[in-house]
Amino acid sequence: MDLAEIFRVMRRRWYVLLPGLLITAVLVVGAWRVLPVSYSSQSTVALLNSRKGAAADGNPFLSMEPSLTGMADSLARNVNSDAAKGDLKRAGLTEKYEVKIADNAQGPLLWITVTGHEPAAVLKGNTTLMEFTKQRLRDLQADQKVAPDAMIRLTTIVPPQKPEAQLKSTVQYLVMGGGLGLVLSLVATFFAEARRRGAAGPRHRQGPAGGEGPAPRAADRSGRPEEGRPGQGRPGERAAGRPEERAAPPEPYDQRDQPTVQLPVRPAPGTRPARRPPSWVK
């Protein structure tokens, strides 16, 4: 089946294809309005050396040691733990969040991301999570009896950004649903075409009463169909309950019954044909 045949089938079975496409479009539009839109807000923080460690040059950004990156990873794992989620829930953060080391970061940078369906709640949640991360960093060092001047600090690099709608996943789901509806509509269209062709085939092979049609009678030498011989019933008479009759022997062939054609006789060479007498001579 080539592309032209596919379009011809779609045109013939438009009454199957069109309702399927309309139903798919209605479902896609309804899903677009019903599905909630997700919003995301992100901020970036960095770990700085302690005041005591940065006293030599007075600039903490010039003394970012590799050990700070390991501390950033430990802090992110602690904030993402179940115990921290319980504390944040009690603090009023019910949205989904994630704290991780920034991609392609050249230092101890953390991404703080909050995702939810209400933009105001998402922005407030990001601020709450940032303050919680700072407090958790101080608690971890306090448990190890670290002096205040030797504690690692946390500073804000990028404040919580305005929540943005995350439509990529929603559009992907809608496109998948629309493609599935289109495929099902095409399958229904070709199924209807196959059913119609399958039903039309036996109808042409059957007779008027639904049975097999009579076989064509043989033609005689003159080209006309041969009539039934005496004692020989037509097809279907035996199935109707008539007794089977013995066929009579065929009549002998008589050549005289066939039409003859008289051809003119050509005279022999050297002889003159006889002259026909006039028409008035009796």
Side-chain angles (χ1 to χ4, degrees):
M1 180 178 291
D2 55 359
L3 189 59
E5 179 66 19
I6 292 176
F7 281 107
R8 284 194 292 268
V9 172
M10 294 170 61
R11 184 177 59 184
R12 285 196 300 266
R13 307 301 171 203
W14 64 268
Y15 53 86
V16 178
L17 179 62
L18 185 59
L21 296 179
L22 291 178
I23 293 175
T24 301
V26 171
L27 292 178
V28 169
V29 174
W32 173 264
R33 295 189 175 185
V34 171
L35 291 178
V37 180
S38 297
Y39 294 89
S40 177
S41 176
Q42 189 178 75
S43 59
T44 305
V45 295
L47 272 67
L48 299 178
N49 201 352
S50 62
R51 298 182 185 275
K52 186 177 180 179
D57 49 16
N59 189 348
F61 291 99
L62 297 177
S63 59
M64 287 188 175
E65 300 178 359
S67 59
L68 294 177
T69 303
M71 185 61 193
D73 181 63
S74 301
L75 179 61
R77 294 174 184 272
N78 185 277
V79 175
N80 291 326
S81 64
D82 295 337
K85 290 180 180 179
D87 296 338
L88 286 169
K89 188 174 182 180
R90 287 188 292 271
L93 179 60
T94 58
E95 287 74 15
K96 182 180 179 181
Y97 71 90
E98 182 183 18
V99 179
K100 68 173 185 177
I101 296 180
D103 296 339
N104 301 322
Q106 300 296 324
L109 300 176
L110 291 178
W111 276 349
I112 299 177
T113 306
V114 178
T115 305
H117 301 301
E118 296 294 335
V122 169
L123 185 59
K124 181 180 178 181
N126 199 318
T127 304
T128 303
L129 182 59
M130 183 182 296
E131 296 297 331
F132 179 84
T133 304
K134 291 180 179 180
Q135 183 61 40
R136 184 54 61 98
L137 177 60
R138 288 193 293 265
D139 294 341
L140 290 176
Q141 298 177 89
D143 293 340
Q144 300 300 323
K145 303 284 195 281
V146 178
D149 292 341
M151 285 186 177
I152 299 174
R153 296 168 294 170
L154 191 72
T155 185
T156 302
I157 302 299
V158 179
Q161 300 296 298
K162 181 181 178 181
E164 296 181 356
Q166 304 296 313
L167 301 177
K168 182 178 179 180
S169 59
T170 304
V171 171
Q172 288 178 350
Y173 288 133
L174 293 179
V175 170
M176 292 174 59
L180 180 61
L182 177 61
V183 171
L184 292 179
S185 301
L186 291 176
V187 169
T189 301
F190 286 98
F191 179 76
E193 177 71 12
R195 288 285 302 272
R196 187 61 179 268
R197 291 184 179 181
R203 189 179 299 120
H204 290 297
R205 293 194 297 268
Q206 292 178 356
E212 294 294 334
R217 292 178 292 179
D220 59 5
R221 297 181 181 180
S222 62
R224 294 176 298 177
E226 185 181 12
E227 299 293 338
R229 297 178 180 177
Q232 182 178 1
R234 295 183 178 181
E237 291 182 351
R238 183 177 179 183
R242 296 186 180 182
E244 182 180 3
E245 298 180 1
R246 181 175 299 177
E251 297 179 1
Y253 175 72
D254 191 356
Q255 188 176 4
R256 292 176 298 176
D257 295 340
Q258 302 297 326
T260 59
V261 178
Q262 186 175 1
L263 301 176
V265 180
R266 188 174 183 180
T271 62
R272 298 180 64 182
R275 304 181 69 176
R276 180 178 298 181
S279 60
W280 51 269
V281 179
K282 298 291 185 179

